[in-house]
Amino acid sequence: AQKVTQAQTEISVVEKEDVTLDCVYETRDTTYYLFWYKQPPSGELVFLIRRNSFDEQNEISGRYSWNFQKSTSSFNFTITASQVVDSAVYFCALLNNAGNMLTFGGGTRLMVKP
Amino acid sequence: DTEVTQTPKHLVMGMTNKKSLKCEQHMGHRAMYWYKQKAKKPPELMFVYSYEKLSINESVPSRFSPECPNSSLLNLHLHALQPEDSALYLCASSQGAGGGASETQYFGPGTRLLVL
């Protein structure tokens, strides 16, 4: 069985603050895939990033950055200089090696206040 | 273009009604998924279609009946639903599913269903 834990259920920051969303996972697969999705109030899940288990290189995309630490089974997401438009629920997810089971964490609701 | 469309956006139905949710993608993806999401919860997988064949059914009650008429379309037929079935129903697609593929799932905007 696989599991994804997002310990932070809600985070509130003021615009321009940096914020890190935590994600910890459990799996017995040696090959697996990690994702972050954003869900704004409209409901659509927006794909942000995919990281393969054999690639621990961190990634930066604009104000977003991801820190993958296989040793601690964590895949954290940092938003730099947050903006009101970043307000959403963010889900971390784990895809098994077989590619047929995507397990979501409980989600973190981020509120960015002006 | 990573776009999955879903209709309708909102649906209100009585427990004796029959309705259908529709999902469409034109990315050439061969796997399509239905998820159910209750408020303040993560999405839960219901069904997976791979190459137009049902490959996973996560013990979903028979009042939910999926259909994949072709590789671009996925329907979810609803009959005799209960109020607890009220939720956001999300459709997703990916290039493939299973067999070691590491496929990204792209989601539609969802249908918000209210069962009275």
Side-chain angles (χ1 to χ4, degrees):
Chain A
Q2 54 187 41
K3 184 179 178 181
V4 178
T5 302
Q6 295 179 253
Q8 306 145 309
T9 54
E10 285 193 11
I11 300 176
S12 181
V13 299
V14 177
E15 207 170 18
K16 297 185 183 178
E17 284 185 21
D18 298 347
V19 58
T20 295
L21 310 182
D22 298 332
C23 173
V24 175
Y25 62 92
E26 298 174 26
T27 180
R28 292 184 177 181
D29 286 346
T30 53
T31 299
Y32 51 88
Y33 311 90
L34 295 163
F35 300 81
W36 276 96
Y37 286 89
K38 174 183 180 180
Q39 188 173 40
S42 60
E44 179 175 358
L45 275 166
V46 179
F47 164 71
L48 296 179
I49 189 171
R50 182 181 87 191
R51 181 53 87 222
N52 303 333
S53 58
F54 45 84
D55 180 6
E56 289 195 68
Q57 186 174 2
N58 293 324
E59 184 159 337
I60 298 175
S61 176
R63 296 185 296 108
Y64 295 170
S65 62
W66 292 269
N67 184 356
F68 177 29
Q69 297 268 348
K70 206 169 178 178
S71 60
T72 56
S73 297
S74 66
F75 185 43
N76 297 337
F77 173 28
T78 297
I79 301 175
T80 303
S82 60
Q83 299 176 1
V84 173
V85 293
D86 295 327
S87 297
V89 179
Y90 291 85
F91 288 99
C92 180
L94 170 67
L95 183 67
N96 60 348
N97 185 38
N100 58 4
M101 181 59 64
L102 184 64
T103 301
F104 286 88
T108 297
R109 181 176 300 277
L110 174 65
M111 292 170 286
V112 181
K113 299 178 181 178
Chain B
D1 183 17
T2 55
E3 186 178 67
V4 177
T5 60
Q6 290 186 245
T7 56
K9 288 187 177 180
H10 302 272
L11 180 62
V12 180
M13 60 185 292
M15 289 189 284
T16 58
N17 292 157
K18 287 185 180 181
K19 297 287 184 182
S20 296
L21 309 184
K22 296 185 184 301
C23 175
E24 190 168 4
Q25 58 86 14
H26 293 289
M27 296 177 279
H29 289 175
R30 303 314 299 267
M32 296 186 77
Y33 310 77
W34 280 115
Y35 287 84
K36 174 182 178 179
Q37 186 180 20
K38 301 285 280 185
K40 298 190 177 183
K41 296 290 186 182
E44 297 178 353
L45 182 66
M46 300 175 72
F47 302 104
V48 179
Y49 271 83
S50 181
Y51 290 87
E52 301 163 47
K53 294 189 186 304
L54 183 65
S55 61
I56 293 179
N57 176 341
E58 289 290 319
S59 303
V60 179
S62 60
R63 57 185 184 269
F64 295 92
S65 175
E67 178 197 17
C68 190
N70 60 57
S71 60
S72 299
L73 293 174
L74 185 65
N75 298 323
L76 186 63
H77 302 298
L78 315 173
H79 174 53
L81 294 194
Q82 304 297 311
E84 58 264 30
D85 296 321
S86 299
L88 177 68
Y89 288 84
L90 292 162
C91 174
S93 72
S94 65
Q95 287 186 352
S102 57
E103 304 301 345
T104 299
Q105 293 183 25
Y106 296 93
F107 286 80
T111 293
R112 290 193 186 275
L113 173 67
L114 177 61
V115 182
L116 300 177

